[in-house]
Amino acid sequence: YNVILNGCGNNLVRESLLKLLDRINLLRGTSLVQPNRMTQSLKEIDQMFKFIKSKNYDAAKDAAYNHIQAAAKVALAVIAAEK
């Protein structure tokens, strides 16, 4: 994330996203400890970075959305199983 945030060129966006990332760290911890999620997450982040680097912003947006949805699905399943 640091590469993306530091390379965005907009400090307001960077600061806003850093605050958001702080808030989702708890959910990230829940999802990343599940089998295969870390490997898949790194692939998703790499894909986002490649799209941003190539200035394919629509694909980057879609990749970011899919990344969040995949993480949320895993985290929500873990939370539901703990109840």
Side-chain angles (χ1 to χ4, degrees), residues 46-65:
D46 185 55
Q47 184 180 41
M48 283 187 284
F49 178 73
K50 288 177 182 175
F51 286 137
I52 292 168
K53 189 174 180 182
S54 68
K55 300 183 191 265
N56 188 345
Y57 302 121
D58 286 335
K61 178 187 74 167
D62 291 342
Y65 178 83

Side-chain angles (χ1 to χ4, degrees), residues 17-67:
L17 289 175
L18 283 172
K19 289 177 184 176
L20 179 61
L21 287 170
D22 285 343
R23 296 178 128 194
I24 63 171
N25 272 333
L26 291 174
L27 285 177
R28 180 183 293 139
T30 301
S31 69
L32 289 178
V33 297
Q34 301 309 303
N36 302 318
R37 184 63 200 141
M38 176 66 85
T39 301
Q40 185 61 34
S41 182
L42 291 173
K43 288 178 185 176
E44 294 161 2
I45 292 167
D46 185 55
Q47 184 180 41
M48 283 187 284
F49 178 73
K50 288 177 182 175
F51 286 137
I52 292 168
K53 189 174 180 182
S54 68
K55 300 183 191 265
N56 188 345
Y57 302 121
D58 286 335
K61 178 187 74 167
D62 291 342
Y65 178 83
N66 292 335
H67 171 64

Side-chain angles (χ1 to χ4, degrees), residues 5 11 68:
L5 293 175
N11 284 333
I68 292 166

